[in-house]
Amino acid sequence: MRNIQTFQVFPFIPEPLAFLETLVRNIWWCWQRDAVELFRRIDPGLWNNCSGNPIQFFTRIPQERLEELARDSGFLAHMERIRDDFHNQVMRRPPSEPPYTDEATLAYFSMEFGLHQSIPLYSGGLGILAGDHLKAASDHKLPLVGIGLFYRQGYFHQYLDDDGRQQEAYPEKDIYMMPLERARGAFGDEIVIAVDGPEGRIHAVVWEIHVGCVKLYLLDTNVRENPPEFRDITARLYSGGSQRRLAQELVLGIGGMRALEALHRVPWVVHMNEGHSAFASLERLHHMVTTQGIELQSALEIIPRTTVFTTHTPVAAGHDDFPVDMLEPCLKPYAEGLGTDLKTIISWGQPKGGPPETPLSMFILGKRMSAYCNGVSELHGEVARRMWHHLWPGIAEDEVPITHVTNGVHIATWTSAENTLLFERYIGPDWHLTTRQSNSSQRLDEIYDEELWHAHEISRARLIRTCRRRMAAQYGQRNAPVRVMKEVQTVLDQDILTIAFARRFATYKRADLLLQDPERLEALINNTDRPVQFIFAGKAHPQDNEGKDLIQRLVAFGRQASVRHRFIFLEDYDMRLARRLLQGADVWLNTPRRPFEACGTSGMKAAVNGVLNLSVLDGWWCEGYDQSLGWRIGRGEAFEDYEYQDRIEAQALYNALENEVVPCFYDRESGGLPLRWLKMMKASMRMALQSFSAQRMVNDYNQLFYRAAAESYHRLLADQAGEALRLSRMSARLRKLWPDVVIDFPVTQSEGPLRVGDLLEITVMVNLGEIEPAEVEVELCYGHPRAVDRLDVTYHQKMTVAEAFSDGRYLYSCQLPCNTAGRYGFTARVAPKGDIWTRYTPGLISWA
């Protein structure tokens, strides 16, 4: 059969229920407990069978049931309550606060977005974070839009073969069962954009999803204008070779910017969530030069100051790079438009001083085009500065211009229904919007222990039921015998300590750390008085055979007769299963090899639900850990010998379980309640609500980056980009004259031994040549010496001109207070005066 035409029949919604059609087309419903309950009350069994997908759900509701609901006063009152909330939270836009206006657009680019399991456009933490970012931006009513790709096959579905080996399936998704609509231009026309790919011209259409009051635009290459091989560019997430990956990132970055242009949305600020979208800066640069008439060097001053770049990968090999010859046909059109050569454009993504054939690094390109760069936890910020220090050879490692904004999770999305009811009762109806207020989270202590424990037991029981259903489905797919099917439907016990491990199966996450001593593990599981059960879930990348080996080892251990009822692996981990695990487990286990976990937000979601963390001190847990609310594995050491590190930390894990976790859970001295455990649950929930919400995270981005970048956008473009032109001329002048800058060794003017309370006077002679003192800053750098050429921690004190000479030399001086006894080292340097972008320009810094 060829040229089949299709049509879709939707249910007829009676007029009193008309709002439901609006509700199901906006993902806002998925983080509103009351809205979820509205759907569930229509038909609880059908809602569960549809995996919480409201569009699929409504296509299967009998027309008679809809007519019945239209006459149900209780249901209509429930719906009206939700309509009021929808109007207040989504439709009502408050007056814009400076620096934003009604025309403001903050464009958030990400390779994946995890909004809900019914929209499978994510593979793991990066996508879930991006989805939470959009939801929190909607809560804050920020003028933000998301830009991503539409994967009609999404990420793979996972199943295990008879040997416990991961297999992958890529079923086509039914786009008519998703809340998608085609994005349209000002005249109602469907938007189609085109980009130059490594093998030719690529076309893409643009879809739109409503996320509260935020819109997410998704580019899709499955269009007739493309040859068959190009239609598959956006078919799957993270699949194919380097050419496919390059094509996807060109469509995301360049195509995403062109889609915004077609929608008449000029971004004031661009936020690149990882380096996948770094090509967006080239398109933005091209637009400024060719459309707004700004010269290239001035545009190169504007783009970085209005761009935010978040890096998530603490492993250098995890960052994409592409060969120069593959990039040339894609980027060649930019050379003419920008008035420069292709070699210069490609050099923006190459380390300085390398050979011209060095591959273009998406990290380097992203950082070259962004003044605001951050890691996703405090520790990751340190790791990123160390990783990329070589790009700024003239400054100390701790001054590398990469800061951190610790990730957060969208609280309302991940909190169980039972805990949500408790929070509404004790904190207030808008509890998820007020989590940072100390008095809000302090009210958690008022929750009765019995209430909290009962709520958690309901979540644990729900998790056990989910595990049994999933295990039955897994074994049923493999046509297991009746005896085995009966056994798997009785796995786990809803009254014993339940520990969950669920995440991507990369080797550094060490899912098999528990298996270092199988006999000791088995003794824990089968303890007569204090047993423990384990639930594992997660996917390995299709090409990661070592990750698949980890899964196979766990499955093999769990199939042993002695443990198979208390040690299971669940297939096809997704957001729905994640919620069950995060809400119903007692302990959330995390065993990464420090410092390779950039952040790890799953532990935050667990903490919100009172699930206690047992984790290596890596990522966010370095900031969140306190002995009053969870446990650590080891003391934050990092070893070069990985096998030794694994042995040491496996012992630490067993010790923590045997001596701390298990006794704490089973200590029921008063009324059958684990009082010490409940106290830790409340402390954990309070910590997560106050410090690790996506609302806090997005507010940090707004206060630290978005507002400053938006202000820079207007300032630099004002008066025909006059300020940008001034900055470009200043930059050119400094680069030309900087070779003449020479700073001598600083000299102390104080004599004799120094005592606490003394002032140490220091001078230094600086030759600035033709550069004026107002254009630079001269600083004394001091601290405890770690080595002959390195200070342990570097402090800075500004030096001022004490005397000027006619030949371009200046004597600078300062007084350093001696506040603390000890040995110190010092030196001096000259750097350009200006903002973070000017101050840390590579090559424009001179040391004594």
Side-chain angles (χ1 to χ4, degrees):
M1 292 181 287
R2 301 178 61 188
N3 299 322
I4 296 173
Q5 300 295 307
T6 65
F7 63 94
Q8 179 84 17
V9 179
F10 290 98
F12 174 75
I13 305 295
E15 179 59 30
L17 305 179
F19 170 67
L20 294 177
E21 291 200 273
T22 300
L23 183 62
V24 301
R25 292 285 169 181
N26 192 314
I27 285 299
W28 173 86
W29 68 263
C30 79
W31 72 88
Q32 307 296 322
R33 180 193 59 80
D34 217 15
V36 174
E37 290 303 319
L38 181 73
F39 294 141
R40 184 177 283 116
R41 74 181 286 178
I42 296 173
D43 188 330
L46 180 59
W47 175 254
N48 188 61
N49 291 339
C50 292
S51 298
N53 182 338
I55 297 179
Q56 182 184 2
F57 178 62
F58 272 91
T59 63
R60 296 172 59 183
I61 298 174
Q63 191 66 42
E64 296 78 16
R65 178 58 174 153
L66 293 174
E67 299 293 344
E68 181 183 330
L69 292 169
R71 298 187 299 270
D72 185 335
S73 59
F75 183 86
L76 294 175
H78 189 169
M79 186 185 73
E80 285 302 312
R81 187 167 67 245
I82 294 163
R83 184 182 359 215
D84 290 343
D85 289 342
F86 183 82
H87 177 76
N88 291 330
Q89 296 182 35
V90 177
M91 305 306 295
R92 180 180 293 169
R93 297 301 297 263
S96 299
E97 296 183 6
Y100 307 124
T101 68
D102 291 343
E103 291 76 38
T105 296
L106 313 175
Y108 182 86
F109 286 75
S110 183
M111 196 74 163
E112 49 178 300
F113 286 90
L115 298 166
H116 188 258
Q117 66 265 14
S118 61
I119 310 172
L121 306 174
Y122 62 93
S123 69
L126 179 73
I128 303 299
L129 172 83
D132 283 6
H133 196 106
L134 296 194
K135 293 172 184 177
S138 175
D139 291 337
H140 280 293
K141 289 185 164 54
L142 282 178
L144 185 138
V145 299
I147 310 292
L149 301 179
F150 178 69
Y151 308 100
R152 67 179 185 275
Q153 295 177 0
Y155 203 47
F156 66 90
H157 283 272
Q158 176 200 53
Y159 65 95
L160 304 181
D161 63 19
D162 290 336
D163 296 324
R165 191 73 177 173
Q166 174 182 292
Q167 306 297 320
E168 298 89 30
Y170 292 89
E172 196 90 7
K173 303 297 182 294
D174 186 350
I175 63 173
Y176 297 103
M177 292 297 109
M178 299 183 198
L180 293 167
E181 57 187 66
R182 290 288 283 271
R184 298 181 182 274
F187 301 103
D189 51 317
E190 294 185 348
I191 294 172
V192 180
I193 58 91
V195 301
D196 291 302
E199 298 177 289
R201 193 83 164 158
I202 305 168
H203 295 82
V205 296
V206 184
W207 297 95
E208 177 179 295
I209 295 180
H210 294 266
V211 186
C213 57
V214 164
K215 289 186 178 180
L216 169 60
Y217 298 107
L218 301 168
L219 287 88
D220 179 10
T221 62
N222 186 27
V223 294
R224 297 182 184 221
E225 291 89 340
N226 285 331
E229 62 273 19
F230 287 9
R231 295 177 192 176
D232 286 339
I233 286 172
T234 58
R236 300 177 181 178
L237 178 60
Y238 302 138
S239 68
S242 57
Q243 278 200 333
R244 173 67 57 84
R245 188 66 170 258
L246 173 59
Q248 286 186 338
E249 297 188 11
L250 289 164
V251 172
L252 174 62
I254 295 172
M257 283 300 303
R258 291 177 181 175
L260 289 174
E261 183 181 355
L263 290 160
H264 302 287
R265 303 194 72 151
V266 179
W268 294 8
V269 180
V270 166
H271 184 171
M272 300 183 294
N273 191 39
E274 197 49 272
H276 308 124
S277 56
F279 291 128
S281 293
L282 298 184
E283 177 63 19
R284 200 168 171 225
L285 195 65
H286 185 265
H287 184 268
M288 280 190 179
V289 172
T290 59
T291 304
Q292 297 175 262
I294 300 171
E295 65 173 35
L296 176 60
Q297 295 307 315
S298 296
L300 283 169
E301 299 293 334
I302 299 170
I303 295 297
R305 291 177 170 88
T306 58
T307 303
V308 181
F309 176 38
T310 299
T311 176
H312 292 260
T313 310
V315 181
H319 293 272
D320 291 338
D321 56 36
F322 299 105
V324 171
D325 58 349
M326 190 185 295
L327 287 164
E328 287 177 347
C330 315
L331 303 185
K332 191 173 183 180
Y334 284 103
E336 182 178 351
L338 294 176
T340 187
D341 57 85
L342 185 60
K343 181 180 177 182
T344 297
I345 294 172
I346 291 175
S347 73
W348 293 335
Q350 297 172 318
K352 282 200 170 184
E357 65 273 12
T358 303
L360 179 144
S361 161
M362 295 299 280
F363 176 90
I364 294 176
L365 178 62
K367 183 64 192 83
R368 171 66 182 82
M369 295 294 174
S370 49
Y372 307 101
C373 181
N374 68 282
V376 290
S377 69
E378 185 176 10
L379 177 61
H380 180 227
E382 296 174 11
V383 172
R385 287 190 288 275
R386 184 163 61 248
M387 277 176 60
W388 300 104
H389 182 211
H390 64 278
L391 300 179
W392 293 270
I395 63 175
E397 182 180 293
D398 60 358
E399 284 191 279
V400 169
I402 301 174
T403 183
H404 79 276
V405 173
T406 301
N407 284 342
V409 298
H410 191 253
I411 302 292
T413 294
W414 298 102
T415 305
S416 70
E418 291 73 27
N419 283 344
T420 298
L421 285 169
L422 289 177
F423 294 162
E424 288 175 354
R425 188 184 315 155
Y426 285 92
I427 299 176
D430 295 328
W431 64 273
H432 62 287
L433 301 177
T434 61
T435 57
R436 297 197 70 196
Q437 298 176 12
S438 59
N439 63 330
S440 293
S441 56
Q442 295 299 331
R443 292 179 197 159
L444 295 175
D445 290 333
E446 299 172 11
I447 299 175
Y448 290 116
D449 289 342
E450 293 85 351
E451 281 187 294
L452 180 57
W453 190 242
H454 179 62
H456 181 65
E457 286 187 315
I458 292 173
S459 292
R460 193 195 305 123
R462 186 187 299 119
L463 169 60
I464 302 306
R465 290 196 303 272
T466 299
C467 291
R468 289 172 178 173
R469 283 197 302 268
R470 288 227 175 193
M471 289 294 285
Q474 289 174 203
Y475 279 83
Q477 264 189 334
R478 296 196 285 272
N479 296 309
V482 174
R483 175 186 55 81
V484 174
M485 291 299 295
K486 286 183 178 179
E487 279 195 50
V488 299
Q489 292 180 46
T490 60
V491 297
L492 307 180
D493 186 323
Q494 62 187 39
D495 294 319
I496 70 175
L497 175 60
T498 304
I499 299 177
F501 180 103
R503 51 193 27 88
R504 184 166 55 91
F505 267 69
T507 51
Y508 77 85
K509 293 180 183 286
R510 299 188 299 180
D512 62 341
L513 194 65
L514 265 174
L515 304 184
Q516 287 273 331
D517 190 339
E519 292 181 3
R520 197 170 175 185
L521 175 59
E522 191 171 336
L524 269 168
I525 293 171
N526 292 320
N527 186 288
T528 306
D529 300 318
R530 296 179 167 185
V532 183
Q533 58 194 7
F534 293 88
I535 306 170
F536 286 81
K539 299 177 179 179
H541 188 280
Q543 297 173 353
D544 183 3
N545 287 320
E546 290 182 329
K548 292 181 180 182
D549 291 342
L550 292 179
I551 294 174
Q552 200 166 13
R553 285 191 65 198
L554 289 167
V555 171
F557 179 83
R559 286 179 176 175
Q560 296 179 89
S562 58
V563 298
R564 64 187 177 203
H565 282 80
R566 290 180 179 167
F567 193 99
I568 66 170
F569 184 93
L570 300 177
E571 298 175 8
D572 210 23
Y573 184 50
D574 64 2
M575 287 182 73
R576 191 182 192 200
L577 177 56
R579 281 194 295 273
R580 294 286 185 263
L581 290 164
L582 292 158
Q583 296 166 3
D586 298 303
V587 173
W588 196 254
L589 178 62
N590 190 27
T591 54
R593 183 177 289 117
R594 180 183 166 112
F596 296 121
E597 181 93 297
C599 184
T601 54
S602 64
M604 303 174 187
K605 300 161 192 165
V608 167
N609 287 286
V611 177
L612 304 185
N613 278 270
L614 170 59
S615 176
V616 171
L617 287 172
D618 198 8
W620 81 282
W621 193 231
C622 294
E623 300 164 56
Y625 167 72
D626 185 276
Q627 63 181 0
S628 67
L629 50 80
W631 299 276
R632 65 186 181 188
I633 301 169
R635 299 180 179 276
E637 307 93 341
F639 300 92
E640 292 186 8
D641 185 336
Y642 288 167
E643 289 187 9
Y644 176 73
Q645 183 171 358
D646 292 352
R647 288 197 304 273
I648 291 294
E649 292 182 345
Q651 294 303 312
L653 171 56
Y654 294 130
N655 291 339
L657 286 170
E658 293 167 347
N659 303 324
E660 300 176 60
V661 180
V662 173
C664 185
F665 182 82
Y666 284 106
D667 181 6
R668 312 284 175 97
E669 294 179 0
S670 175
L673 294 178
L675 297 182
R676 188 157 58 99
W677 190 277
L678 281 160
K679 186 177 181 180
M680 293 180 72
M681 286 177 67
K682 291 179 182 179
S684 180
M685 295 160 82
R686 185 165 54 248
M687 170 270 295
L689 288 171
Q690 277 191 331
S691 303
F692 296 101
S693 71
Q695 284 79 2
R696 186 273 310 155
M697 173 185 71
V698 168
N699 185 66
D700 285 353
Y701 277 111
N702 189 38
Q703 297 301 323
L704 294 173
F705 305 145
Y706 294 166
R707 295 177 66 87
E711 289 168 355
S712 294
Y713 179 81
H714 286 289
R715 187 182 72 255
L716 296 173
L717 285 174
D719 301 323
Q720 298 179 320
E723 176 65 6
L725 178 61
R726 185 191 70 79
L727 286 170
S728 69
R729 289 175 176 171
M730 181 190 75
S731 178
R733 165 184 160 81
L734 289 175
R735 281 195 297 269
K736 178 182 177 183
L737 299 177
W738 203 264
D740 296 332
V741 173
V742 178
I743 178 170
D744 293 345
F745 290 110
V747 177
T748 60
Q749 302 300 316
S750 305
E751 296 183 0
L754 295 167
R755 307 288 182 183
V756 171
D758 289 347
L759 289 175
L760 176 61
E761 185 174 348
I762 301 175
T763 61
V764 64
M765 186 66 73
V766 182
N767 181 3
L768 295 178
E770 296 181 35
I771 296 176
E772 298 295 327
E775 297 177 284
V776 300
E777 285 188 348
V778 178
E779 292 178 312
L780 184 75
C781 306
Y782 64 99
H784 296 289
R786 176 182 292 184
V788 68
D789 59 350
R790 186 177 178 186
L791 301 176
D792 187 25
V793 177
T794 306
Y795 303 96
H796 305 96
Q797 181 150 325
K798 185 178 178 181
M799 305 185 78
T800 57
V801 176
E803 188 174 355
F805 301 91
S806 58
D807 57 358
R809 292 183 305 131
Y810 299 86
L811 183 68
Y812 281 80
S813 70
C814 72
Q815 288 186 325
L816 185 65
C818 301
N819 295 324
T820 308
R823 184 168 181 79
Y824 296 87
F826 64 88
T827 185
R829 71 178 183 190
V830 186
K833 181 180 289 185
D835 60 16
I836 188 173
W837 187 246
T838 300
R839 183 172 175 77
Y840 292 108
T841 302
L844 297 191
I845 190 167
S846 295
W847 290 88

